[in-house]
Amino acid sequence: MADTLPPETNTTLVHRYRRLLELSRDLASTLDLDGLLQRIVQAAADVCAAEAASILLYDDVKQELYFQAATNLTEPSMRGLVVPMDSLAGWIVRNQKPLRINDVSRDRRHFARISEDTKFLTHSLLGVPMVAKDKVIGALEAINKKDGTFSEEDLEILGVLGAQAAIAIENSRLFQQSDLISEFIHELRTPLGSINTAAHLLKRPELSEEQRATFLQTIQSESRRLSELATSFLDLARLESGRVQFRTQRLAPYTLLQECTSVMRLPASEKQQNLTLEAPEDLPEIQADRAKLKQVLINLLSNAVKYTPAGGKITLSATADAEELRICVRDTGRGIPPDALQNLFQKFYRVPGSERMAQGTGLGLSIARKIVEGHGGRISVESEVGKGTTFTVHLPR
Ligand SMILES: Nc1ncnc2c1ncn2[C@@H]1O[C@H](COP(=O)(O)OP(=O)(O)O)[C@@H](O)[C@H]1O
Ligand SMILES: [Mg+2]
């Protein structure tokens, strides 16, 4: 077949396959999922000479398809956007077949909201399924051929890239999971050990009622810890595998802050802590996943309550400028030593001595950071030992 092509086309084809080969090495060595997806979409746009490319992942639990990466993904709101299964991408995933369309506007399956949301018009589209171990994990799409229309050769090249991408994504997910799972199992040992010991001791006949009650108490609280560990672990595993969808909506931050304050009112008052909200009611609206953002703030507020002694003061505040919305959780608690600050967002990390103040899993901040980053934002922290700590959530407007 190749020798019937004009020589210059032949060279381009070789060139393109060489580029693909380089890429496959590159992809195989990237285990960080977000970085990997970004490279895949760049490569797809590149090898197909397309204006843009995007990846949609398929959640086989919810049976939904959602946006996860794109070369032109400027709006964080696009990430996690659920795409209907009867769209073009949905067709590719359902049929596990590629699709090449030169004028998308004439196709009823085109999901117009994407164009509305991104202000990016799709004219021509080339899409392939990403299949790993017989399971379809999503679709890879090249959008708008720069000159002319997508060719049979483009389709072949993108098909190869899609297959490589699927394997790389699956590997990265497995790697992250095995890493996380071994840490998780390690963390299970402590509470399981305590439960086991307490249960053994309970069998002794000579125990006083009081001792018995103490051991039962241990079993109860350690079981609760196990269940918290499991919940947080699943949350984090889903966030890390990129399987979590962010359901963003426009929301008024002030009411959300009020809600968080009222949830935390009781736990704070149980420790005689003074919890206040300091924010203007007319904070500008932001685009965010309400439930997840609430989870972040409750997490930070619970930490403030946990690691601040009785009688302390906790303040939830917010300000906004043209670029970002900043939400601060400030406490007058034990503070965090400088050398611990750098480990703070690591999985399972707890500052030494924390277990004496409160129960915890050391996963809360990792989860919070993943969620905030999923919104295109970041979390910063300032702290002084013995004086208190301030966590700030920065969200782009
Ligand atoms: N407001 C705070 N003041 C002091 N230390 C904190 C504060 N928030 C978090 N930390 C420290 O960071 C660690 C990690 O927090 P997190 O991931 O939420 O775990 P957990 O709350 O389960 O202990 C905590 O164990 C604690 O040592
Ligand atoms: Mg916590």
Side-chain angles (χ1 to χ4, degrees), residues 24 53 55 82 85 89 92 98 102-103 117 128 130 134 145 149 184 212 223 239 250 266 269 292 294 320 325 361 391:
S24 74
I55 284 182
V82 175
M85 286 310 285
I92 297 171
N102 287 325
D103 186 359
D117 281 15
V128 294
M130 294 192 295
D134 296 331
K145 179 81 177 175
T149 52
F184 174 59
R212 222 172 268 283
S223 310
L239 281 164
R250 297 218 60 82
L266 185 65
S269 69
K292 294 208 174 59
K294 188 167 171 180
L325 173 75
T361 59
F391 281 92

Side-chain angles (χ1 to χ4, degrees), residues 299 303 306 364:
N299 238 317
N303 280 350
K306 284 202 295 191

Side-chain angles (χ1 to χ4, degrees), residues 228 299-300 302-308 329 331 333-336 343-346 348-355 357-367 383 388-391:
E228 274 168 25
N299 238 317
L300 295 177
S302 320
N303 280 350
V305 170
K306 284 202 295 191
Y307 303 111
T308 300
V329 177
D331 66 51
R334 69 190 295 239
I336 301 163
N343 299 319
L344 215 54
F345 293 90
Q346 271 179 32
F348 301 109
Y349 178 81
R350 303 187 73 199
V351 177
S354 298
E355 59 284 351
M357 291 195 79
Q359 275 206 353
T361 59
L363 290 175
L365 287 178
S366 308
I367 294 172
S383 189
T389 305
T390 305
F391 281 92

